[in-house]
PDB file of all heavy atoms in Angstrom:
ATOM      1  N   ALA A 133      96.046  94.346 114.996  1.00  0.00           N
ATOM      2  CA  ALA A 133      96.016  93.139 115.785  1.00  0.00           C
ATOM      3  C   ALA A 133      95.055  93.236 116.937  1.00  0.00           C
ATOM      4  O   ALA A 133      94.369  92.273 117.317  1.00  0.00           O
ATOM      5  CB  ALA A 133      97.364  92.816 116.294  1.00  0.00           C
ATOM      6  N   SER A 134      94.874  94.445 117.576  1.00  0.00           N
ATOM      7  CA  SER A 134      94.050  94.603 118.704  1.00  0.00           C
ATOM      8  C   SER A 134      92.865  95.543 118.470  1.00  0.00           C
ATOM      9  O   SER A 134      91.874  95.514 119.221  1.00  0.00           O
ATOM     10  CB  SER A 134      94.841  95.179 119.891  1.00  0.00           C
ATOM     11  OG  SER A 134      95.228  96.518 119.626  1.00  0.00           O
ATOM     12  N   GLY A 135      92.948  96.366 117.447  1.00  0.00           N
ATOM     13  CA  GLY A 135      91.901  97.325 117.192  1.00  0.00           C
ATOM     14  C   GLY A 135      92.126  98.653 117.941  1.00  0.00           C
ATOM     15  O   GLY A 135      91.351  99.634 117.724  1.00  0.00           O
ATOM     16  N   LEU A 136      93.099  98.757 118.842  1.00  0.00           N
ATOM     17  CA  LEU A 136      93.325  99.949 119.608  1.00  0.00           C
ATOM     18  C   LEU A 136      94.023 100.990 118.681  1.00  0.00           C
ATOM     19  O   LEU A 136      94.843 100.668 117.810  1.00  0.00           O
ATOM     20  CB  LEU A 136      94.194  99.677 120.784  1.00  0.00           C
ATOM     21  CG  LEU A 136      93.577  98.800 121.888  1.00  0.00           C
ATOM     22  CD1 LEU A 136      94.611  98.534 122.972  1.00  0.00           C
ATOM     23  CD2 LEU A 136      92.357  99.469 122.439  1.00  0.00           C
ATOM     24  N   GLY A 137      93.789 102.281 118.939  1.00  0.00           N
ATOM     25  CA  GLY A 137      94.400 103.307 118.234  1.00  0.00           C
ATOM     26  C   GLY A 137      93.930 104.677 118.617  1.00  0.00           C
ATOM     27  O   GLY A 137      92.975 104.798 119.408  1.00  0.00           O
ATOM     28  N   THR A 138      94.522 105.723 118.064  1.00  0.00           N
ATOM     29  CA  THR A 138      94.132 107.090 118.384  1.00  0.00           C
ATOM     30  C   THR A 138      94.681 108.029 117.314  1.00  0.00           C
ATOM     31  O   THR A 138      95.458 107.591 116.469  1.00  0.00           O
ATOM     32  CB  THR A 138      94.631 107.485 119.773  1.00  0.00           C
ATOM     33  OG1 THR A 138      94.081 108.751 120.125  1.00  0.00           O
ATOM     34  CG2 THR A 138      96.183 107.616 119.769  1.00  0.00           C
ATOM     35  N   THR A 139      94.265 109.273 117.354  1.00  0.00           N
ATOM     36  CA  THR A 139      94.742 110.225 116.379  1.00  0.00           C
ATOM     37  C   THR A 139      95.958 110.969 116.899  1.00  0.00           C
ATOM     38  O   THR A 139      96.128 111.109 118.187  1.00  0.00           O
ATOM     39  CB  THR A 139      93.690 111.249 116.016  1.00  0.00           C
ATOM     40  OG1 THR A 139      93.192 111.871 117.182  1.00  0.00           O
ATOM     41  CG2 THR A 139      92.540 110.607 115.290  1.00  0.00           C
ATOM     42  N   LEU A 140      96.813 111.445 116.045  1.00  0.00           N
ATOM     43  CA  LEU A 140      97.993 112.191 116.447  1.00  0.00           C
ATOM     44  C   LEU A 140      97.560 113.584 116.878  1.00  0.00           C
ATOM     45  O   LEU A 140      96.777 114.230 116.167  1.00  0.00           O
ATOM     46  CB  LEU A 140      99.031 112.264 115.319  1.00  0.00           C
ATOM     47  CG  LEU A 140      99.600 110.951 114.822  1.00  0.00           C
ATOM     48  CD1 LEU A 140     100.742 111.178 113.849  1.00  0.00           C
ATOM     49  CD2 LEU A 140     100.030 110.069 115.981  1.00  0.00           C
ATOM     50  N   PRO A 141      98.089 114.092 118.008  1.00  0.00           N
ATOM     51  CA  PRO A 141      97.657 115.403 118.549  1.00  0.00           C
ATOM     52  C   PRO A 141      98.375 116.565 117.911  1.00  0.00           C
ATOM     53  O   PRO A 141      99.314 116.394 117.131  1.00  0.00           O
ATOM     54  CB  PRO A 141      98.043 115.269 120.031  1.00  0.00           C
ATOM     55  CG  PRO A 141      99.313 114.465 119.968  1.00  0.00           C
ATOM     56  CD  PRO A 141      99.102 113.436 118.892  1.00  0.00           C
TER      57      PRO A 141
END
Side-chain angles (χ1 to χ4, degrees):
S134 69
L136 294 176
T138 189
T139 56
L140 300 189

